[in-house]
Amino acid sequence: MSEQTSVVKSEAASQDQYVGHIEKDDLRLYADSKWRAWSTVIGSWLILCCAVGVISSFGVFQEYYTTTWLPGSSAAAISWIGSIQIFLEYFMAPLGGELMDRGHFRTAVILGCGIFVFSLFMLSLSGHAFYQIMLSQGLGMGMGVGLLFLPASVVAIKHFRHAHAFVIGLVDSSISLGGLLFTVSLNYLVHGPVGFAWGVRIVAFITLGCFGLGVSMMSMPKHGFEAPKIHVQTRTTWKQVILGAKNDWPYLLILAQGFIMSLATFIPPFYIQLFSELHGIKKETSFYALAVMNVTGMLGRIIPNYLADRLGVLNVYIPCLATTGVLCFAMLGADTVNGLFPFAVFYGFFFGATNGMYFALITSLSTDKPEYLWKRCGLSLLPPAVAALVGPPIAGSILGKHYVWWRAITFASLTMITASILVILARRFERRK
């Protein structure tokens, strides 16, 4: 009898200890420590600031290649370089997700950084041949950023219990600031006495230093917030993820809108500098408009994401996306200085909001499938990858050799408005769950 009583007491003590562990775990805001969490945010910020920031400044390259470096190539042909960069940035995301799932997060980031920096140095050695620039800038830099983009974008949320949308937005804000810094520096270096080769080389050295610091600060948390499990959880396969998404209509509609939105959302950043110069605005002024677009884009990636944690991601994303589509029409009025800068301010903000909330949107639709998260994030970037590949060249073809701007701008605006309708449908399906 006494032996049975002691067993009962021992089990009760174990249960109290387990409950105490859960209650203590519930109070933790960080998976490991505050330092590791915020150092990962800073490291991710540095890496994305340089990698995606350089790619975001492609408007400078578009203008320079069209008018100076590759005068024999059309604007539509040159835009394929930027399109392939963005295509690979998204298309290779499933590989980054798979490496994270297998525990090779740091390998993915280091390999991506190495390929990107090497390709950037090779770009500085490129001559006036289109294929050389396509290989180094389009394919090489695109592959590098494609490997590191997903791991660097989402690893920080594993360190935080709450405010995932805000953390994603904070990390993502580096893209806009990087776009600003590299737009200003590249425009000054390439058009200044330094020239194209050494201008790109200087940017490569800066990127190399930031990559090294960023990689040293990033980490995958050693502990999680989940309760201890008795069984060992097996790694999910791509077949499970795809079959699991087959009847998930909110997720499928978001993938569809990601494709449609990405057909057009990059048209203003790619063409605004060329658009303003062809309408008689000074080169220096048009260049600063692109820089302003990146500044407001940084705010757009932080403020709406902060609100999304409180009001719901879908409730904030829908008006931001619809406003972006409407604002795109305003580019037609940006043919003067008085019209150019207000357009850059507002479009930059909402462009940053719609792009900065995309991962937050996917994670908010994956709360019931946490084991699928990395692969669902990687899968969600495939439709935007295809759209980003063909969107700017389609716009370039619509624009034509005579630069009929209203046709390309109307195409961009209508596609984004259509995308916002799909997100509204996704919210209706999500509420029925």
Side-chain angles (χ1 to χ4, degrees):
M1 185 70 177
S2 60
E3 183 179 351
Q4 184 177 3
T5 303
S6 64
V7 171
V8 172
K9 287 182 179 180
S10 176
E11 290 179 352
S14 299
Q15 182 67 23
D16 290 341
Q17 185 179 6
Y18 175 77
V19 172
H21 169 78
I22 297 302
E23 290 175 350
K24 182 180 179 181
D25 186 70
D26 285 342
L27 296 175
R28 287 192 298 131
L29 297 177
Y30 308 100
D32 288 346
S33 67
K34 185 176 181 179
W35 161 250
R36 285 174 64 87
W38 286 105
S39 68
T40 299
V41 171
I42 296 171
S44 301
W45 196 95
L46 284 171
I47 288 175
L48 291 177
C49 179
C50 291
V52 189
V54 171
I55 289 178
S56 298
S57 64
F58 184 75
V60 175
F61 290 103
Q62 175 81 38
E63 183 273 336
Y64 185 73
Y65 292 157
T66 303
T67 59
T68 306
W69 199 253
L70 299 173
S73 301
S74 66
I78 291 170
S79 69
W80 273 102
I81 299 171
S83 297
I84 287 176
Q85 280 185 310
I86 299 173
F87 167 75
L88 291 173
E89 175 186 344
Y90 293 159
F91 186 76
M92 294 187 68
L95 178 57
E98 179 67 21
L99 289 171
M100 286 188 73
D101 204 32
R102 291 175 178 266
H104 302 303
F105 150 74
R106 189 170 293 276
T107 301
V109 175
I110 292 175
L111 186 60
C113 289
I115 294 173
F116 187 88
V117 171
F118 174 77
S119 300
L120 194 53
F121 277 113
M122 289 299 101
L123 176 62
S124 71
L125 300 175
S126 298
H128 294 267
F130 180 85
Y131 79 92
Q132 293 178 349
I133 294 176
M134 175 63 79
L135 287 174
S136 57
Q137 188 171 13
L139 295 176
M141 292 169 62
M143 289 174 62
V145 76
L147 277 174
L148 65 86
F149 179 64
L150 179 60
S153 295
V154 300
V155 67
I157 67 172
K158 295 294 288 183
H159 285 271
F160 294 83
R161 178 181 291 278
H162 305 298
H164 288 176
F166 175 68
V167 171
I168 290 174
L170 197 61
V171 171
D172 227 30
S173 68
S174 63
I175 295 173
S176 295
L177 184 60
L180 167 66
L181 296 176
F182 287 109
T183 295
V184 172
S185 59
L186 280 167
N187 201 78
Y188 174 78
L189 293 169
V190 168
H191 291 287
V194 174
F196 176 79
W198 267 105
V200 173
R201 215 165 288 152
I202 290 170
V203 168
F205 279 116
I206 294 171
T207 301
L208 178 61
C210 290
F211 278 176
L213 182 59
V215 169
S216 67
M217 298 182 72
M218 295 170 67
S219 65
M220 180 71 81
K222 297 177 181 178
H223 309 96
F225 294 107
E226 298 82 6
K229 293 183 174 76
I230 297 174
H231 65 280
V232 178
Q233 186 177 358
T234 57
R235 186 169 51 84
T236 57
T237 64
W238 282 105
K239 183 178 180 180
Q240 289 175 310
V241 174
I242 294 172
L243 290 177
K246 186 172 62 173
N247 296 318
D248 190 347
W249 283 104
Y251 180 73
L252 293 175
L253 285 168
I254 293 302
L255 296 191
Q257 78 83 31
F259 173 80
I260 294 174
M261 178 191 73
S262 297
L263 280 173
T265 188
F266 292 100
I267 290 175
F270 274 19
Y271 284 102
I272 186 63
Q273 191 168 356
L274 182 62
F275 172 85
S276 55
E277 287 182 24
L278 291 177
H279 283 85
I281 297 175
K282 293 181 179 179
K283 179 176 293 188
E284 295 80 7
T285 304
S286 61
F287 142 69
Y288 281 114
L290 186 61
V292 167
M293 189 178 290
N294 281 294
V295 171
T296 56
M298 180 179 65
L299 298 176
R301 293 174 189 270
I302 296 175
I303 297 173
N305 278 54
Y306 177 82
L307 296 174
D309 281 321
R310 285 147 181 80
L311 304 177
V313 180
L314 282 167
N315 295 332
V316 178
Y317 186 80
I318 290 171
C320 286
L321 180 57
T323 304
T324 306
V326 173
L327 279 172
C328 200
F329 277 119
M331 186 172 168
L332 292 170
D335 53 355
T336 64
V337 174
N338 291 334
L340 176 63
F341 282 94
F343 169 76
V345 168
F346 288 103
Y347 187 84
F349 181 88
F350 287 100
F351 168 80
T354 52
N355 284 275
M357 273 193 286
Y358 190 65
F359 274 137
L361 197 61
I362 298 301
T363 56
S364 71
L365 296 176
S366 305
T367 53
D368 57 336
K369 303 177 181 69
E371 69 276 13
Y372 292 176
L373 179 58
W374 302 132
K375 286 185 170 67
R376 279 168 70 93
C377 285
L379 191 64
S380 70
L381 290 176
L382 292 182
V386 177
L389 177 66
V390 300
I394 288 175
S397 299
I398 294 173
L399 193 60
K401 294 182 179 179
H402 301 291
Y403 299 106
V404 185
W405 290 103
W406 71 265
R407 294 191 303 192
I409 292 169
T410 302
F411 164 76
S413 186
L414 292 178
T415 52
M416 283 187 278
I417 292 173
T418 303
S420 65
I421 295 172
L422 292 179
V423 184
I424 293 172
L425 292 174
R427 183 173 62 176
R428 294 194 65 177
F429 278 105
E430 180 67 12
R431 287 176 173 175
R432 292 178 183 177
K433 283 187 175 181

